[in-house]
Amino acid sequence: MSGDPGETNYLNASHGIGSWLLTRDHKRIGILYLLGISVFFVLGGLMAVLIRAELATPQGDLFSSDVYNRLFTMHGILMIFFFLIPSIPAVLGNFLLPIMIGAKDLAFPRINLLSWYLYMIGGVMTFVSLLTGGIDTGWTFYTPMSTNFAQGQVIVTAVGIFIAGFSSILTGLNFIVTIHRMRAPGLTWFRLPLFVWAHYATSIIQILGTPVVAIAILLVGAERLFHIGVFDPKYGGDPLLFQHLFWFYSHPAVYIMILPSMGVMSELVTAFSRKRVFGYHFIAFSSLFIAVIGFLVWGHHMYISGQSVVAGAIFSFLTMLVAIPSAVKVFNWTATLYKGSISLQTPMLYALGFIGVFLIGGLTGVMLGTLGIDIHVHDTYFIVAHFHYVMVGSAIMGYLGGLHFWWPKITGRMYNEFWSKISALVIFIGFNTTFFPQFILGYLGMPRRYHMYPAEFQTWNVLSSAGATILGFGYLLPVIYLLWSLKFGAKAPANPWGAKGLEWETSSPPPVLNFDTPPVVTEEAYAYETSTPAKEVTVGV
Amino acid sequence: MLPNSPVFPPVSSTLASKVDAIFFFTLGVSVLFSVLIVATIVAFLVKYRRRHAAEPGQEITGNTLILELTWSIIPLGLVMVSFFWGASIFFEQSRPPSDAWSFHVYGKQWMWKVEHPEGKREINEFHVPVNQAVKLTMTSEDVIHNFSVPAFRLKMDVLPGRYTTAWFKATKTGTYHIFCDQYCGVDHSKMVGKIHVMEPQDYQKWLVGGASAGGTVASGEELFVAKACNTCHRPDSSARAPVLDGVFGKQVALVDGRTVVADESYVRESILSPATKVVQGYQPIMPTFKDQISEEEIVQLIRYIKELKPAGAATAPAAAAPAAGGKS
């Protein structure tokens, strides 16, 4: 039934560029996202390499201050709005969500295509602003810097992000309706894969949070053009108001990046332990809890901003609460390994890498949430290290782990196991060599966004820059062997890992409507104890 | 090992040792947890590695609720310790001691301007006596900056249109970095100053040495006359406006029934936007001084108003009287 040559699947069902650009197939749209996101990741990554090259010496000898500021601003904007936020939901979520719930497509296939176009238009506008000079506001657009003092294409970039925001909102809406309305017969809420739960929680944040940042950015544009006096104290505005609006979205946005990655994690850990995930309900609800409480902690970005001391204390308290569901997830994954049948294939290596970087990112997050410590490390490299561990390390480990796990399903080809394991290792080592020294730099007091720095910080910066080189090579490897697999890789069977889940019951790559016969679900998720031929066996209790 | 890059910055203020203590506590707990989890995972990876291709894992049976609750409640307890401890440091840091010397700091793209209590000014250099509490009242002339002294573990944003405060008591003489930690434009990374902690007698010597710019209080008084504040805000000015003697720091009743503390922010707001919070019993007739007065001049005026003592110690000052008497 699977992968036979000559069989029609979503890739060969129709041909020509038009059949891709006008497709309403969620799988093809997932591929379109994969292409767009990869381009922005490469651009953002090149800027990161340039930034680290500049910081190898204390002097500003490679670029002028102005160019350096534009580089880190564009690095942040591209990576956050055009890579990290859409990566897992738009690529893996788009491709897998309907298949995982046994549906033929998302609820609104045309809106799904529209989301991709909005994303690309937003991305191209941002890229145009880069080509025409870029901006020097930092990705955070703090006022009155961004409204009165910044140079460059602030308006064009803001409009680009604004448009991309709609893409995010529409995708979230599409996912929520799909999960509510289109589950296969027998697929109750508590039989859903945890990947689906994670995307459900993520979609809630996208729908509720994105409009707020869109409006905040709109107001920056209006203030810049017309001096309407919202943020500018000269006209009676409040410079802190922007930070409240911005972080009301941008803190939950961290969970847009990390929750889908946690969803991938749950899939990987169960598949490569051949075991039902430990504490399914706890993991499912912890995603929702993170989504809800994530909206109440934005003020921890502003402890020392001039907001009231009491507000600081309240936000610190709420921030502490977020640590619990995150910790619970890590414990549950660990417990899932207990008495498992563990195989260390490439996706599992990424999963273990995820736990490693997420532990460091999460625990340093507790430190930053602690008021007394934040007085010292706020806005230093400690922050830079922390958010790279959480947003980049954890999100990319999940993204790459997921991409390797589902690559045979998506493309119908197997990749080289040796090189993929090497790349997982190189990326893990490169990542930690790049960002761990930055914790030390931060505690020593090196401020973030510094083009030049006192000479005593150099040793750790050199180490960090060396790590970035290793990391760069680590990212290059998958590009090579994954592209290679498309042409030369072995044909993938329907279920190369012996994993559970509806997506493994259809051919690799799946047919246009995902299943030859509409599936009926008769068991819990991850019922590995019912052994390999998954379809016909019903589960006991 | 790394002579130019120590792993920890100097510990040179009362706050520094407190921040280090809580940091080492959270670091210790974090390392302990990480080691436990990683060791457990590695042990499981070895013990339960897959031996046969088709082998499924073994289910865990029985009630796991107790286990789940245990590993939820223990971390909750630990982060709560972190929260209360951190908050106590933060609260202490937000309340300067009453014997603190009052300095003013201005952030401006891309320099730090400092004003000493008796009026001496410096740029990107900051001399302070050791073992003396120092209160900073800070404002910015353009964008948001951030005043940070890593050796003191001290940091506070500096905003346009507002005053933020911070305080420290340096415990070790020496010279330390002042950084701007809030991205503020092209030369953000050059907005770096030096803070010199000196023995008290050296500080006094330094104060009298060199050219002094003249006392702030004195220049505040000159401004008060130059900007014609005295034509309304003096006891002999036919009650057009509240007399300011002794008002500073007191509750003031407003025409709309609210009360407000006459602090730095209120005085500043009253100078720039006088009609916003009018004192009870007066008309909103004062003109705005927006764009006619610099941030430094505002601070000089505030300094002067702070120094104005109540004229007759027995009678309450006119402006404060409604607040004391008739707050319904």
Side-chain angles (χ1 to χ4, degrees):
Chain A
M1 63 177 249
S2 63
D4 299 328
E7 187 155 311
T8 321
N9 59 51
Y10 81 100
L11 289 169
N12 61 17
S14 55
H15 295 278
I17 191 113
S19 76
W20 281 87
L21 291 179
L22 296 173
T23 184
R24 276 158 286 157
D25 185 339
H26 67 99
K27 299 182 287 301
R28 284 193 165 199
I29 294 170
I31 303 269
L32 290 177
Y33 269 114
L34 177 64
L35 295 174
I37 279 164
S38 303
V39 169
F40 291 121
F41 178 69
V42 169
L43 285 173
L46 284 176
M47 289 171 199
V49 168
L50 294 176
I51 289 166
R52 280 314 328 167
E54 170 66 83
L55 292 176
T57 62
Q59 306 85 24
D61 36 17
L62 201 53
F63 308 110
S64 68
S65 295
D66 193 35
V67 170
Y68 179 82
N69 296 340
R70 284 160 202 253
L71 271 176
F72 76 66
T73 299
M74 204 39 91
H75 165 73
I77 289 173
L78 286 180
M79 285 303 204
I80 287 172
F81 293 109
F82 297 97
F83 174 71
L84 288 169
I85 286 178
S87 60
I88 297 180
V91 178
L92 299 175
N94 238 322
F95 194 97
L96 293 161
L97 203 91
I99 308 181
M100 281 184 167
I101 66 170
K104 287 176 182 158
D105 206 320
L106 284 171
F108 307 112
R110 285 184 181 83
I111 289 182
N112 196 23
L113 182 64
L114 174 66
S115 305
W116 182 75
Y117 276 100
L118 290 173
Y119 165 78
M120 288 308 290
I121 293 168
V124 168
M125 279 194 79
T126 308
F127 189 60
V128 166
S129 85
L130 173 71
L131 292 181
T132 53
I135 61 169
D136 64 345
T137 57
W139 84 277
T140 49
F141 289 94
Y142 271 20
T143 58
M145 174 71 201
S146 61
T147 55
N148 300 33
F149 295 88
Q151 296 149 25
Q153 308 289 340
V154 178
I155 303 285
V156 183
T157 315
V159 171
I161 292 169
F162 185 78
I163 293 173
F166 280 97
S167 162
S168 190
I169 295 169
L170 292 176
T171 301
L173 197 71
N174 221 337
F175 282 4
I176 286 185
V177 175
T178 308
I179 295 169
H180 271 274
R181 305 286 301 170
M182 299 178 71
R183 303 192 306 276
L187 188 55
T188 58
W189 281 93
F190 292 117
R191 285 178 174 180
L192 286 175
L194 289 167
F195 181 89
V196 177
W197 272 106
H199 276 76
Y200 188 76
T202 307
S203 303
I204 293 173
I205 303 174
Q206 285 178 307
I207 291 180
L208 294 181
T210 317
V212 180
V213 79
I215 288 165
I217 286 177
L218 208 62
L219 286 172
V220 166
E223 181 85 314
R224 200 174 160 80
L225 290 173
F226 310 117
H227 301 296
I228 54 177
V230 181
F231 304 128
D232 186 352
K234 234 190 331 197
Y235 304 101
D238 179 0
L240 280 189
L241 176 62
F242 174 79
Q243 296 182 27
H244 282 292
L245 290 172
F246 179 80
W247 290 116
F248 183 81
Y249 165 78
S250 294
H251 188 76
V254 173
Y255 302 116
I256 299 181
M257 303 173 215
I258 189 81
L259 276 172
S261 198
M262 292 170 157
V264 171
M265 276 299 297
S266 298
E267 301 298 321
L268 298 184
V269 169
T270 52
F272 292 94
S273 319
R274 290 260 167 85
K275 208 167 144 256
R276 195 187 288 261
V277 70
F278 185 85
Y280 174 96
H281 291 84
F282 264 73
I283 296 189
F285 283 118
S286 67
S287 290
L288 290 181
F289 185 74
I290 288 173
V292 172
I293 200 98
F295 273 110
L296 304 175
V297 303
W298 78 87
H300 68 212
H301 294 262
M302 302 169 61
Y303 287 159
I304 51 155
S305 67
Q307 79 176 3
S308 83
V309 182
V310 175
I314 292 169
F315 282 121
S316 173
F317 181 82
L318 292 168
T319 300
M320 294 302 172
L321 298 183
V322 185
I324 307 309
S326 311
V328 164
K329 281 185 197 257
V330 172
F331 293 137
N332 276 300
W333 293 323
T334 307
T336 304
L337 299 175
Y338 177 70
K339 291 194 175 177
S341 163
I342 302 168
S343 154
L344 290 180
Q345 278 160 302
T346 310
M348 187 61 166
L349 291 184
Y350 278 109
L352 296 171
F354 174 99
I355 293 180
V357 296
F358 183 68
L359 266 178
I360 295 175
L363 289 166
T364 49
V366 174
M367 293 179 188
L368 289 171
T370 301
L371 285 158
I373 302 176
D374 189 69
I375 301 176
H376 176 49
V377 288
H378 195 96
D379 274 333
T380 66
Y381 262 79
F382 198 92
I383 298 278
V384 178
H386 161 73
F387 73 67
H388 277 88
Y389 264 88
V390 175
M391 285 155 48
V392 183
S394 309
I396 285 190
M397 292 291 172
Y399 178 63
L400 289 176
L403 200 62
H404 282 81
F405 186 49
W406 286 295
W407 186 260
K409 180 58 60 186
I410 294 171
T411 65
R413 299 286 183 160
M414 302 303 291
Y415 47 81
N416 183 296
E417 183 74 14
F418 173 78
W419 284 107
S420 60
K421 281 184 175 168
I422 294 287
S423 89
L425 202 65
V426 173
I427 288 173
F428 185 78
I429 292 169
F431 183 85
N432 284 290
T433 317
T434 307
F435 294 106
F436 200 85
Q438 296 184 2
F439 283 120
I440 298 164
L441 275 176
Y443 206 83
L444 282 169
M446 176 162 162
R448 68 191 287 202
R449 294 170 166 175
Y450 261 30
H451 172 227
M452 287 165 260
Y453 54 84
E456 72 250 33
F457 296 139
Q458 191 178 7
T459 310
W460 299 111
N461 271 302
V462 168
L463 191 59
S464 178
S465 295
T469 314
I470 300 173
L471 188 58
F473 280 110
Y475 286 145
L476 211 57
L477 285 173
V479 176
I480 297 167
Y481 65 74
L482 287 179
L483 287 176
W484 186 88
S485 79
L486 291 180
K487 187 100 178 123
F488 306 104
K491 288 252 191 284
N495 189 355
W497 317 112
K500 282 279 187 172
L502 288 177
E503 78 270 29
W504 303 112
E505 293 179 23
T506 188
S507 55
S508 305
V512 175
L513 294 179
N514 296 345
F515 299 94
D516 295 330
T517 49
V520 176
V521 178
T522 54
E523 57 184 23
E524 311 290 313
Y526 319 117
Y528 281 96
E529 71 278 11
T530 61
S531 89
T532 19
K535 219 169 185 176
E536 48 273 61
V537 184
T538 44
V539 71
V541 179
Chain B
M1 179 176 74
L2 296 159
N4 292 323
S5 298
V7 179
F8 287 100
V11 183
S12 302
S13 75
T14 50
L15 178 64
S17 40
K18 286 174 188 156
V19 170
D20 281 357
I22 185 171
F23 176 73
F24 284 123
F25 166 76
T26 54
L27 185 67
V29 172
S30 300
V31 169
L32 187 71
F33 261 81
S34 305
V35 168
L36 278 175
I37 292 170
V38 171
T40 310
I41 289 176
V42 170
F44 286 173
L45 292 183
V46 174
K47 186 145 187 250
Y48 302 113
R49 68 187 179 276
R50 189 177 298 171
R51 289 174 180 90
H52 311 289
E55 180 188 27
Q58 246 179 291
E59 277 310 298
I60 298 171
T61 49
N63 191 351
T64 55
L65 188 67
I66 302 285
L67 188 60
E68 297 263 9
L69 286 178
T70 310
W71 70 37
S72 305
I73 289 167
I74 291 175
L76 184 66
L78 285 169
V79 294
M80 282 302 122
V81 172
S82 206
F83 164 70
F84 282 109
W85 187 351
S88 73
I89 294 174
F90 191 64
F91 282 135
E92 192 187 325
Q93 182 53 28
S94 68
R95 292 191 203 103
S98 51
D99 63 343
W101 290 7
S102 194
F103 289 66
H104 278 84
V105 173
Y106 310 87
K108 184 178 190 322
Q109 285 178 327
W110 292 274
M111 63 177 95
W112 291 111
K113 298 198 271 184
V114 178
E115 212 170 276
H116 290 252
E118 73 329 302
K120 185 152 176 155
R121 294 187 216 175
E122 30 184 357
I123 290 178
N124 287 347
E125 302 277 332
F126 192 171
H127 293 76
V128 289
V130 71
N131 291 323
Q132 166 62 50
V134 166
K135 181 193 172 196
L136 308 175
T137 304
M138 307 188 286
T139 192
S140 163
E141 298 183 13
D142 36 49
V143 301
I144 300 174
H145 299 281
N146 179 293
F147 186 87
S148 160
V149 183
F152 298 169
R153 314 288 186 271
L154 178 82
K155 183 170 296 151
M156 190 67 205
D157 271 4
V158 177
L159 295 126
R162 272 197 204 198
Y163 294 104
T164 53
T165 58
W167 74 274
F168 60 85
K169 189 192 260 188
T171 52
K172 247 188 241 165
T173 57
T175 298
Y176 310 103
H177 290 297
I178 304 170
F179 292 125
C180 175
D181 272 15
Q182 183 67 264
Y183 175 64
C184 60
V186 177
D187 282 332
H188 169 54
S189 66
K190 288 185 193 159
M191 194 163 162
V192 173
K194 283 195 193 111
I195 190 159
H196 307 276
V197 180
M198 313 167 91
E199 293 296 342
Q201 61 271 28
D202 294 339
Y203 176 72
Q204 288 305 331
K205 226 181 278 168
W206 173 84
L207 264 186
V208 287
S212 173
T216 316
V217 176
S219 49
E221 190 168 12
E222 281 164 28
L223 269 174
F224 200 75
V225 175
K227 299 282 177 189
C229 312
N230 61 331
T231 56
C232 295
H233 286 288
R234 299 303 315 165
D236 52 5
S237 57
S238 60
R240 274 190 298 244
V243 176
L244 299 179
D245 298 5
V247 169
F248 196 88
K250 301 265 171 24
Q251 292 271 338
V252 177
L254 304 179
V255 282
D256 58 9
R258 290 178 299 164
T259 56
V260 66
V261 178
D263 58 4
E264 281 102 341
S265 293
Y266 178 63
V267 174
R268 181 178 183 282
E269 186 183 10
S270 300
I271 294 169
L272 296 177
S273 173
T276 316
K277 289 176 190 157
V278 180
V279 173
Q280 214 169 62
Y282 297 95
Q283 298 297 312
I285 52 170
M286 176 171 154
T288 175
F289 284 82
K290 197 185 284 184
D291 299 329
Q292 299 173 38
I293 188 165
S294 74
E295 290 291 345
E296 286 183 70
E297 288 175 324
I298 295 173
V299 169
Q300 288 167 12
L301 279 173
I302 292 172
R303 277 263 176 74
Y304 173 66
I305 290 166
K306 231 186 215 177
E307 296 295 317
L308 290 172
K309 295 284 176 289
T315 53
K327 193 185 176 263
S328 51

